């Protein structure tokens, strides 16, 4: 049990810190997404002159918001789940089933990491976005590489995998009878963004 608790601690600390930072960045990303959409609505419907970049900028912000907030939602149990079978089973058997499902999710996440890596480093990653630009140090404007968008997928699934490892360790500890000493992952009531 002590070995499992020692293995859990670095994952728990990493997730506590990184997911809190990711949540803050995700909040900024959603604000940028809303701002880009509002700019596009104003220019398209008020000035009758649609801009080329707000749609892509909103998509960019949405991808990063999703990649950074999904691991936090997964850690807190915020994903949609059909848990009738788990609730109907005896506690011990339900814990074993949950552990098996977490291991299966880990396998899927390993595959997703491979896909995310190939999307970020592969041939199409060299492509540029259609209408997003950023300034260089020479004050030239260049198109944003597609890999910056695809990096959100890789970042999200890597963070999901790290959270999954933490959840597997927590599940093992609970299965072995040490679950009452684990830190609660549910957010305090004043920290909930939306319900």
């Amino acid at each position: 049990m002590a070995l499992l608790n020692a293995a859990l601690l670095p994952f728990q600390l990493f997730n506590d810190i990184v997911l809190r930072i990711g949540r803050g960045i995700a909040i900024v990303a959603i604000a940028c997404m809303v701002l880009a959409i509002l700019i596009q609505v104003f220019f398209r419907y008020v000035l009758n002159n649609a801009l080329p970049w707000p749609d892509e900028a909103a998509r960019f912000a949405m991808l990063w918001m999703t990649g950074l907030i999904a691991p936090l939602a997964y850690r807190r149990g915020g994903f949609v789940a059909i848990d009738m079978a788990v609730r109907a089973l005896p506690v011990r058997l339900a814990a074993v089933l949950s552990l098996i499902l977490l291991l299966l999710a880990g396998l899927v996440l390993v595959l997703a990491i491979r896909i995310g890596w190939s999307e970020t480093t592969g041939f199409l990653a060299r492509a540029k976005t259609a209408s997003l630009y950023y300034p260089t140090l020479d004050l030239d404007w260049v198109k944003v590489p597609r890999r910056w968008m695809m990096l959100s997928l890789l970042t999200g699934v890597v963070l999901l995998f790290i959270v999954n490892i933490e959840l597997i360790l927590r599940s093992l500890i609970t299965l072995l009878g040490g679950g009452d000493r684990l830190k609660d992952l549910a957010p305090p009531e004043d920290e909930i963004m939306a319900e």
Side-chain angles (χ1 to χ4, degrees):
M1 184 71 69
L3 185 63
L4 285 174
N5 282 321
L8 174 65
L9 187 61
F11 288 102
Q12 190 170 295
L13 289 173
F14 177 85
N15 288 331
D16 285 345
I17 295 166
V18 171
L19 297 182
R20 178 169 292 165
I21 293 167
R23 179 176 182 260
I25 295 170
I27 290 169
V28 171
I30 200 167
C32 291
M33 182 180 75
V34 169
L35 181 63
I37 292 169
L38 290 175
I39 288 169
Q40 183 68 321
V41 167
F42 177 78
F43 274 83
R44 177 172 286 162
Y45 296 109
V46 176
L47 301 179
N48 200 23
N49 186 13
L51 297 172
W53 59 267
D55 294 337
E56 203 163 19
R59 194 175 313 115
F60 186 87
M62 180 189 64
L63 287 170
W64 275 101
M65 181 265 308
T66 304
L68 292 172
I69 207 66
L72 181 64
Y74 182 48
R75 186 181 194 214
R76 291 181 176 176
F79 281 8
V80 175
I82 301 172
D83 57 359
M84 295 181 324
V86 173
R87 290 178 189 238
L89 294 173
V91 175
R92 203 83 153 148
L93 195 55
V96 170
L97 179 60
S98 293
L99 180 61
I100 291 169
L101 293 174
L102 284 169
L103 291 169
L104 184 61
L107 290 174
V108 171
L109 288 169
V110 167
L111 292 174
I113 289 170
R114 291 182 63 199
I115 292 168
W117 182 257
S118 68
E119 285 291 325
T120 305
T121 61
F123 174 72
L124 287 177
R126 290 186 223 123
K128 306 287 185 194
T129 58
S131 60
L132 288 180
Y133 291 85
Y134 71 97
T136 64
L137 293 176
D138 300 332
L139 298 180
D140 291 329
W141 287 87
V142 294
K143 287 188 175 187
V144 172
R146 182 179 176 272
R147 74 178 51 181
W148 291 6
M149 292 174 101
M150 298 315 293
L151 190 59
S152 65
L153 167 69
L154 181 59
T155 302
V157 293
V158 166
L159 290 174
L160 281 166
F161 184 72
I162 294 169
V163 167
N164 196 67
I165 292 171
E166 177 190 2
L167 294 176
I168 288 170
L169 290 170
R170 292 173 66 83
S171 182
L172 283 170
I173 291 169
T174 301
L175 195 59
L176 296 174
D180 55 333
R181 287 170 283 180
L182 293 174
K183 178 182 130 181
D184 188 23
L185 296 179
E189 288 300 316
D190 60 341
E191 191 183 312
I192 297 176
M193 287 185 359
E195 287 287 322

